[in-house]
Amino acid sequence: MADEIPDIVIGRLPIYLRALYNMVEEEDKVTTSSHELGERLGISSAQIRKDLSHFGEFGKQGTGYHVDFLISQLEQILNLEQVWRVALVGAGFLGHALAHYHRFQRHSFHIGWMFDSDPDKVGQVMNGVVVQPDEEMEATIAEAGVRIAILAVPAAAAQSVTDRLVAAGVKAILNYAPISLSVPPDVQVQYSDPVVQLQRMTYYLRPE
Amino acid sequence: MADEIPDIVIGRLPIYLRALYNMVEEEDKVTTSSHELGERLGISSAQIRKDLSHFGEFGKQGTGYHVDFLISQLEQILNLEQVWRVALVGAGFLGHALAHYHRFQRHSFHIGWMFDSDPDKVGQVMNGVVVQPDEEMEATIAEAGVRIAILAVPAAAAQSVTDRLVAAGVKAILNYAPISLSVPPDVQVQYSDPVVQLQRMTYYLRPE
DNA sequence: TAGATTGTTAATCGATTAACAATC
DNA sequence: TAGATTGTTAATCGATTAACAATC
């Protein structure tokens, strides 16, 4: 039960969580079932039950899952019972948008540090956070014990910034730069590249 | 050979393409191998060769792949030999950042239409594109033959905007709203939710 | 030629699904 | 009780990898 859980399973848990939040907040739902949840997400009910069974027994035969309880269990599993300190590197248009994204605060993430190498950006305040000079990045992050970083810098800078972040103790990176990063095995990386995502879809579209 | 190709394979092609662009543009590389490409991407060379073999024989024994040639083949496969018209719905911070993202233009995507329901946003010009009123969305998109949309609206609006986009002829949606969308089977959807991505990583982090 | 690397096959590995006893 | 739904098992399905003949 506490064996090695496939990463693909871990990847679905936040999706379940998001749907459960919606059920509670938008629809005042008290209970749900693997069938209902699966229908919303386009996932089979068997898969949802299988995924959850890696971590324990959270439902009741005949009635399904208590939404609040399942939320709290998933939050526990995903280590969301604390507020994670997050550094945002890059204060361009995207960094600016991310700095103002209110869902981070609502979901256990506190973006409390911003960095940029452009002197024009340094000193600007974005959603209450002062943009600090790039050179102060390692010291500030190590000092504050920041372990998660969001990368919103150009591709050319991404790997060297990554190396410095990792050296300063960062263990998880959400990378918006269009480049594959090289990191030690104990550092997590997630990628977000809109061009890659669009290109994946055009394959299926009829060309003009 | 022209059989049904697994979507997971399609999903890797843009990643290969991105690395190949980098080899040509940043390193003036003329040829590469499945081994070299795999090493950069953290993917086995066998998998890269297998993926490519779905579409043809692009390499030469002993020497590997001609980078320019492989790029052009992948562009062809992914239907990137045309410029795709893209509509951007939502002119908030994120919409603003996406409107200014220069990589779309460089990679076969032209963001030529923006929409927002907020009268304060309507009429603003973002990177040369005038934000149009939400009500004009269907007619404008259908008229222009736009088939790809990027969704940067609040979760509460996302499904209804999606329904309208689909009715207007959109066949691919890149969704930044934190909600699972329901679409007909011939409509592609890709998701981008930073909170989901961060939550996937915190599972692996030691809590404080 | 010798070395390198492809494309492909077969084996392995892993993930999903169908089915159902258990039980609320 | 009857109906619903869980957790789990076994079967199925699909993806990855190892290995190698072919050949540049």
Side-chain angles (χ1 to χ4, degrees):
Chain A
M1 190 178 292
D3 269 308
E4 195 65 34
I5 303 194
D7 181 62
I8 197 161
V9 171
I10 304 303
R12 282 191 292 261
L13 301 186
I15 310 279
Y16 300 163
L17 193 49
R18 192 173 66 176
L20 293 166
Y21 285 137
N22 240 283
M23 287 181 180
V24 152
E25 290 166 14
E26 307 297 322
E27 308 164 42
D28 296 312
K29 270 200 161 298
V30 173
T31 60
T32 186
S33 66
S34 59
H35 179 80
E36 182 181 49
L37 195 51
E39 190 143 318
R40 297 194 179 209
L41 300 177
I43 291 177
S44 79
S45 61
Q47 180 159 85
I48 290 174
R49 293 197 302 278
K50 189 100 207 291
D51 285 352
L52 295 177
S53 76
H54 284 102
F55 304 96
E57 308 190 355
F58 305 129
K60 278 202 182 61
Q61 284 103 322
T63 57
Y65 303 90
H66 193 81
V67 180
D68 277 335
F69 177 72
L70 189 50
I71 285 176
S72 76
Q73 292 297 302
L74 287 173
E75 286 178 339
Q76 209 169 95
I77 292 164
L78 294 170
N79 292 320
L80 301 175
E81 290 181 316
Q82 67 171 82
V83 174
W84 290 94
R85 295 185 289 283
V86 179
L88 175 49
V89 188
F93 288 120
L94 180 60
H96 183 249
L98 289 166
H100 284 86
Y101 194 54
H102 59 274
R103 285 180 67 248
F104 289 130
Q105 302 161 39
R106 289 215 211 114
H107 291 97
S108 309
F109 301 100
H110 170 61
I111 299 197
W113 299 264
M114 287 187 73
F115 302 94
D116 202 293
S117 58
D118 180 352
D120 291 347
K121 296 271 168 51
V122 171
Q124 284 187 26
V125 179
M126 299 192 176
N127 200 23
V129 179
V130 182
V131 178
Q132 293 179 247
D134 179 63
E135 305 87 50
E136 292 174 12
M137 189 176 76
E138 291 97 318
T140 306
I141 280 179
E143 159 80 18
V146 170
R147 304 234 302 286
I148 304 178
I150 301 179
L151 223 56
V153 302
Q159 184 61 58
S160 77
V161 169
T162 295
D163 295 342
R164 294 166 55 207
L165 288 169
V166 168
V170 163
K171 297 291 184 196
I173 295 173
L174 175 49
N175 177 33
Y176 284 91
I179 188 172
S180 291
L181 299 177
S182 168
V183 295
D186 69 327
V187 175
Q188 305 297 314
V189 182
Q190 285 284 306
Y191 293 91
S192 185
D193 182 339
V195 167
V196 162
Q197 292 184 291
L198 290 177
Q199 290 178 341
R200 179 178 191 156
M201 295 194 284
T202 52
Y203 172 81
Y204 297 98
L205 302 188
R206 179 174 39 78
E208 278 169 358
Chain B
M1 191 179 288
D3 268 309
E4 195 65 35
I5 303 192
D7 181 62
I8 196 159
V9 172
I10 304 302
R12 281 190 292 260
L13 300 186
I15 311 280
Y16 300 163
L17 193 48
R18 193 173 66 178
L20 293 166
Y21 285 137
N22 240 285
M23 287 181 178
V24 151
E25 291 166 14
E26 308 296 324
E27 306 163 45
D28 295 312
K29 272 203 161 293
V30 173
T31 59
T32 187
S33 65
S34 58
H35 179 80
E36 182 182 48
L37 194 50
E39 190 143 319
R40 295 192 179 209
L41 300 176
I43 291 177
S44 80
S45 61
Q47 179 157 85
I48 290 174
R49 294 197 302 279
K50 187 100 208 291
D51 285 353
L52 296 177
S53 76
H54 284 103
F55 304 95
E57 308 191 355
F58 305 129
K60 278 200 181 63
Q61 284 103 323
T63 57
Y65 304 90
H66 192 82
V67 180
D68 277 336
F69 177 71
L70 190 50
I71 285 176
S72 76
Q73 292 298 302
L74 287 173
E75 287 178 339
Q76 210 168 94
I77 292 164
L78 294 171
N79 292 321
L80 301 175
E81 290 181 318
Q82 67 172 84
V83 175
W84 290 93
R85 296 185 289 283
V86 179
L88 175 48
V89 188
F93 288 119
L94 180 59
H96 183 250
L98 290 166
H100 284 87
Y101 194 54
H102 60 273
R103 285 180 68 249
F104 289 130
Q105 303 161 38
R106 290 215 210 115
H107 290 96
S108 309
F109 299 100
H110 169 62
I111 299 198
W113 299 265
M114 286 187 73
F115 302 94
D116 202 295
S117 59
D118 179 351
D120 291 345
K121 297 271 168 52
V122 171
Q124 286 188 25
V125 179
M126 299 190 177
N127 200 25
V129 180
V130 183
V131 179
Q132 294 178 246
D134 178 63
E135 306 87 49
E136 292 173 12
M137 187 175 76
E138 290 98 317
T140 306
I141 281 180
E143 159 80 19
V146 170
R147 305 234 301 285
I148 303 179
I150 301 180
L151 223 57
V153 302
Q159 184 61 60
S160 77
V161 170
T162 295
D163 295 342
R164 293 167 55 206
L165 289 168
V166 168
V170 163
K171 297 291 184 196
I173 295 173
L174 175 49
N175 177 33
Y176 285 91
I179 187 171
S180 290
L181 298 177
S182 168
V183 295
D186 69 327
V187 175
Q188 305 296 315
V189 182
Q190 286 284 308
Y191 294 90
S192 184
D193 183 338
V195 167
V196 161
Q197 291 184 292
L198 290 177
Q199 289 178 341
R200 180 178 190 156
M201 295 194 285
T202 52
Y203 172 80
Y204 298 98
L205 302 187
R206 180 174 38 77
E208 277 169 358

